[in-house]
Amino acid sequence: MSGSYPGSGSASYHPVLLLGLLVYGYATGVFSSRKLERRSYDSVAFRFIARTSIPITTRSRRSVGAF
């Protein structure tokens, strides 16, 4: 999966990090990418999964929503 990144543009978040946030979000009933972003600020569990690399930009919303 990491090989599919073209290597240009801004730095991306690791796919495992985004997948972890998505799976934990689904397990806890959070399905919206905007709510996932909000929880990554508010919830200690989401911060732990994100390893303090919180996806906060519009680009990351598209990345999380793309799953």
Side-chain angles (χ1 to χ4, degrees):
M1 189 170 183
S2 297
S4 64
Y5 288 112
S8 62
S10 63
S12 59
Y13 294 100
H14 198 276
V16 173
L17 180 139
L18 293 175
L19 184 62
L21 286 175
L22 185 69
V23 168
Y24 185 74
Y26 277 17
T28 57
V30 180
F31 302 105
S32 165
S33 60
R34 291 180 188 224
K35 288 181 182 179
L36 284 170
E37 179 187 10
R38 193 174 313 125
R39 291 281 177 97
S40 68
Y41 285 113
D42 299 338
S43 172
V44 174
F46 277 90
R47 283 182 177 242
F48 179 77
I49 292 169
R51 297 176 188 97
T52 67
S53 301
I54 301 170
I56 58 172
T57 64
T58 305
R59 179 167 167 69
S60 67
R61 279 191 200 137
R62 283 190 227 127
S63 297
V64 171
F67 281 109

